[in-house]
Amino acid sequence: MELIKSTFLVFGATGRTGQHFVSIALKEGHKVRALVRNPEKIKIESTNLELFKGSISDYEKMDELLHGVDFVICMLGNAQEQNKGLVNTPFTKRLIPAMRRQGVKRFLYQAGGFTRRYKERLPIVTWMIKNIFARYAGLLGQHKDNEAVIKYLVEEAQDIDWIVHRASIISDGPSKGILKRDRTKVSLVTFEDCARYNYEILKDDSAIHTCDLSYYSKKQFSNTENKGNDVSKSW
């Protein structure tokens, strides 16, 4: 699928991945529409950028927001709220029916690398790291929410061309290379590279109905960087 002069609806546009995604889409000549609680956080100015103020928990004009949209991208995450209960799941259950009503087919949902696939267990090493790192960082509620979203998409949204990216984001540093999709290989990635991957994967019809990880297939190194420091590993 080609992304020729498309309109993107972005949720999570003020986040660190989201801001990179918005910038990429605009630079590629597309239109971007975003629902944000704090529009002032978006520093980008463009005639192709349209901001709507509101929250995913109570925004009532979802059909209006989706009208004329080609792609929906969800990069939402609020660990504090998700530790209290599901946040993204009830939102997704309102979003998908509205997408159907407006004839919008493709949906990308960004989850975390520790998020389980539908009815699958994590590899033992990943499970151990998750229960140490994610618990310590207060991210278990976030992964529980992501897994509930995936369950809903698999069981009730097969008519939607959804893609789940289970990203392992670690820093906001410069690009480290090009990310590729894989079931088992995973790299610790930058927000910029994650955003570029999210943009590119929307074109990939083979990614529809997958919940894959991403890894650096080719790394970019400076003259002073140790070329042995590739953090990619198979989990």
Side-chain angles (χ1 to χ4, degrees):
M1 173 181 285
E2 293 296 325
L3 307 183
I4 301 174
K5 299 299 181 182
S6 302
T7 298
F8 296 84
L9 174 57
V10 179
F11 297 99
T14 59
R16 285 177 285 185
T17 305
Q19 292 197 46
H20 282 295
F21 184 94
V22 170
S23 179
I24 290 168
L26 291 173
K27 286 179 181 178
E28 294 289 343
H30 304 293
K31 293 182 179 180
V32 176
R33 191 176 295 173
L35 178 68
V36 293
R37 287 181 296 179
N38 302 298
E40 62 276 5
K41 288 186 176 182
I42 300 288
K43 304 302 181 183
I44 303 169
E45 294 185 4
S46 171
T47 56
N48 284 333
L49 176 60
E50 190 175 11
L51 301 178
F52 292 78
K53 186 173 182 178
S55 169
I56 63 167
S57 62
D58 57 12
Y59 195 76
E60 297 180 352
K61 299 180 180 179
M62 196 64 69
D63 285 83
E64 180 180 322
L65 200 61
L66 283 159
H67 182 70
V69 165
D70 300 293
F71 302 95
V72 179
I73 301 90
C74 182
M75 296 171 284
L76 293 165
N78 186 325
Q80 185 175 2
E81 292 301 316
Q82 287 168 303
N83 279 332
K84 299 175 184 177
L86 301 180
V87 177
N88 291 356
T89 303
F91 165 67
T92 304
K93 289 182 177 181
R94 291 192 298 112
L95 173 66
I96 295 298
M99 287 179 61
R100 291 189 182 109
R101 291 191 296 269
Q102 294 299 320
V104 184
K105 291 289 290 183
R106 191 147 301 190
F107 174 56
L108 184 142
Y109 182 84
Q110 181 178 298
F114 290 132
T115 298
R116 293 184 298 110
R117 288 187 181 87
Y118 179 66
K119 290 188 175 180
E120 290 188 21
R121 294 182 178 181
L122 292 172
I124 185 63
V125 173
T126 308
W127 180 87
M128 290 174 65
I129 295 173
K130 175 181 178 179
N131 278 273
I132 295 172
F133 171 77
R135 188 180 299 277
Y136 174 79
L139 299 175
L140 291 181
Q142 196 168 74
H143 292 297
K144 181 179 179 180
D145 200 4
N146 289 337
E147 288 163 5
V149 169
I150 292 173
K151 181 177 186 293
Y152 169 75
L153 292 175
V154 172
E155 293 184 351
E156 301 186 46
Q158 288 296 311
D159 59 314
I160 298 296
D161 293 343
W162 54 261
I163 301 167
V164 175
H165 176 204
R166 295 161 58 225
S168 294
I169 306 171
I170 193 64
S171 74
D172 201 17
S175 173
K176 297 197 295 182
I178 300 170
L179 288 169
K180 296 294 183 181
R181 178 169 59 91
D182 198 88
R183 280 187 60 86
T184 60
K185 294 179 182 177
V186 61
S187 296
L188 302 178
V189 310
T190 68
F191 293 104
E192 179 182 352
D193 292 338
C194 182
R196 171 57 68 175
Y197 175 93
N198 287 346
Y199 174 80
E200 297 293 342
I201 203 68
L202 286 166
K203 308 174 188 177
D204 187 355
D205 290 343
S206 70
I208 294 171
H209 296 169
T210 63
C211 301
D212 288 337
L213 301 161
S214 57
Y215 74 105
Y216 288 111
S217 59
K218 294 180 180 179
K219 292 202 67 181
Q220 297 172 350
F221 296 95
S222 66
N223 293 332
T224 58
E225 186 176 357
N226 181 355
K227 294 187 179 182
N229 290 335
D230 189 341
V231 296
S232 300
K233 57 182 70 177
S234 179
W235 285 355

